[in-house]
Amino acid sequence: MISAQESSKFEEKKPAPGLWALMAAFPACLFVASLFLGRYYVPARHVIGILGKHILGLRVQQDWPVSAETVIINVRLPRIAMAVLVGAGLSASGASFQGMFQNPLVSPFVLGVSAGASFGAALGLVLSLPAIGIQAMSFAFGLAAVAITYSLAHTFKTTPILMLVLAGMVVSAFFQAMLSFMKFVADSDEKLPAITFWLMGSLGSVVPADLALAVVPIAASLAVLYLIRWKLNVLSMGDNEARSLGINTELVKAAVIFCATIITSTSVAFCGIIGWVGQVIPHFCRMIVGPDHKYLIPASMLLGAGYLIAIDNMCRLATAAEIPLGILTAVIGAPVFSYLLRKSKGGWL
C-alpha cells in the first residue's frame, strides 16, 4: 500500500527519451518481423509487395499467388494487430487496477470479468450460436459480472476497495460454478472440447471482422486510462488522501473499472482467457520507469503489446500443433512473477 509519505517515489524516475524509443521499437519491430514468420512460407519480397499494395496503396506488379495475399492480409495481419490490442489493453488494465486497489498482486480479472465472460462463451457454445453470437454473449456476461460486483460493493455512496475484492470473489465463484454446469451439460464429443479449447486462449481464430469490432472499445478505453493516469497516483495513496486533494474518488474508480472491464471483456470475447499479462508486465515496467502512472501506463501498453506478440509467435511456431496462448503465458508468467514477488518482497517495485 502506498501512503502519503511515499508519494515522493513517483518522482524518483523519469525515463530518458532513448528508453521510450527502445520501448516503442520493441512492439514495432516484432509486429513487422511477425508478418514474415509462419508455417506457410511467403518470400520476403512477396510480403513487402503485399503490404505495399494493401497498406500503402502502392502500384506493384503482383507476382505472388492469391494464397500468399490471403495469409498475410486475412490471417497474420489481423492476428498480430489483435495481439497488440490485447497485450496493451490487459497490461494497462492490470497497472490501473494495481494502482487503484493499492495492491501489486491484482490482475484485470479480479472483479469477476473473466468468469462471467467464460460462462457467456460456454453458454453460447452450448446453444450452438454463430461466432458473433458467442462473442456477444461473452462480452455481455463479462460486463454483467463486473456490474454485479460493483453493485454489491457499493455502500453508502462509497465503494470500499475491500468490498470490491470480496464481491469480486463471490461473483467469480458463482460464474465459475455456472461454467462448470455448462461443461456438465455440454455434448462431450464436440461442445465440451470447444469450451475447453476456448478457455485456454488463442489468437488463431481472429479474422479482420473481429479486429474491426475489437479495435474501437479497446482503443477508446486505453485512451481514457491514459488521460486519467495521473489521478491513479493520487488514488493509490488511499481514498482519504485522494479526497483531501480534491479528487472525486468514486468517479475515478468507476472510470477505471469501466474501461478495464471493457478491455478485458473484449479480449476474453475474441481470444479467450489470457492470464498473467496484466500481472507480470506492470511489475516489469515498474522496474524500468518507476511507480509513477504517468509513465507506467504508456510503458505497460508498449511492453504488453510486444510481449504478447512474442508469446503468440512462440505459440504458433514452437511446435507442429499450435500451443494455446493461455498455457504459454502462464508457463512463462508464473515463474517470472514469482521472481518479481521475491525481489520486491510482495511490495511495490
Side-chain angles (χ1 to χ4, degrees):
M1 183 179 295
I2 299 178
S3 65
Q5 289 79 12
E6 293 175 308
S7 61
S8 60
K9 290 183 180 180
F10 293 135
E11 303 299 329
E12 288 180 359
K13 290 186 179 182
K14 185 176 181 180
L19 180 59
W20 285 113
L22 287 175
M23 288 192 290
F26 173 57
C29 292
L30 280 175
F31 188 103
V32 174
S34 299
L35 292 170
F36 295 83
L37 302 175
R39 293 190 183 89
Y40 182 88
Y41 175 70
V42 181
R45 61 186 181 86
H46 288 173
V47 175
I48 295 172
I50 293 168
L51 294 176
K53 174 186 174 183
H54 288 271
I55 305 301
L56 301 178
L58 301 178
R59 292 184 178 181
V60 295
Q61 182 180 358
Q62 183 170 337
D63 57 349
W64 55 80
V66 175
S67 58
E69 189 166 314
T70 300
V71 166
I72 299 299
I73 300 301
N74 295 333
V75 179
R76 292 183 190 172
L77 187 59
R79 177 173 185 156
I80 299 166
M82 184 67 84
V84 170
L85 284 175
V86 172
L90 292 178
S91 299
S93 298
S96 300
F97 269 3
Q98 288 168 11
M100 187 186 77
F101 282 91
Q102 308 159 46
N103 189 325
L105 307 181
V106 300
S107 74
F109 303 146
V110 69
L111 299 183
V113 61
S114 64
S118 298
F119 166 72
L123 180 60
L125 288 167
V126 169
L127 296 176
S128 301
L129 297 179
I132 187 66
I134 296 170
Q135 292 162 355
M137 291 280 284
S138 177
F139 181 79
F141 275 95
L143 293 182
V146 176
I148 295 171
T149 297
Y150 188 81
S151 63
L152 289 175
H154 191 75
T155 56
F156 301 108
K157 298 183 180 180
T158 62
T159 312
I161 295 298
L162 180 60
M163 287 291 291
L164 275 172
V165 174
L166 294 176
M169 293 174 60
V170 171
V171 172
S172 292
F174 173 77
F175 279 108
Q176 286 288 355
M178 296 301 294
L179 175 61
S180 297
F181 179 72
M182 287 295 104
K183 291 181 179 179
F184 176 74
V185 301
D187 174 37
S188 60
D189 293 329
E190 295 183 5
K191 294 179 181 178
L192 181 58
I195 294 172
T196 303
F197 184 78
W198 184 90
L199 291 173
M200 293 180 184
S202 175
L203 293 168
S205 60
V206 172
V207 296
D210 295 335
L211 182 63
L213 290 173
V215 66
V216 173
I218 293 180
S221 298
L222 282 174
V224 173
L225 291 178
Y226 180 84
L227 291 174
I228 66 172
R229 68 194 188 282
W230 66 273
K231 293 185 179 181
L232 288 167
N233 288 340
V234 184
L235 196 64
S236 60
M237 297 177 190
D239 284 3
N240 293 333
E241 288 86 349
R243 280 194 291 267
S244 68
L245 292 173
I247 299 296
N248 187 334
T249 57
E250 292 306 306
L251 182 60
V252 175
K253 286 179 187 177
V256 171
I257 291 173
F258 179 76
C259 291
T261 300
I262 290 292
I263 291 171
T264 308
S265 294
T266 305
S267 301
V268 174
F270 289 100
C271 308
I273 306 295
I274 302 176
W276 294 98
V277 177
Q279 289 173 300
V280 173
I281 297 301
H283 270 276
F284 185 69
C285 290
R286 285 190 193 93
M287 297 175 63
I288 300 174
V289 302
D292 189 346
H293 290 85
K294 178 181 177 182
Y295 308 120
L296 180 60
I297 296 298
S300 296
M301 292 180 188
L302 292 172
L303 295 188
Y307 174 75
L308 200 59
I309 295 174
I311 296 296
D312 186 54
N313 284 339
M314 294 174 62
C315 288
R316 62 192 180 96
L317 298 174
T319 61
E322 183 173 318
I323 303 172
L325 189 58
I327 293 177
L328 207 53
T329 55
V331 168
I332 295 175
V336 172
F337 190 67
S338 299
Y339 167 75
L340 294 175
L341 282 181
R342 183 74 175 178
K343 183 175 181 179
S344 64
K345 297 181 175 60
W348 296 91
L349 290 170

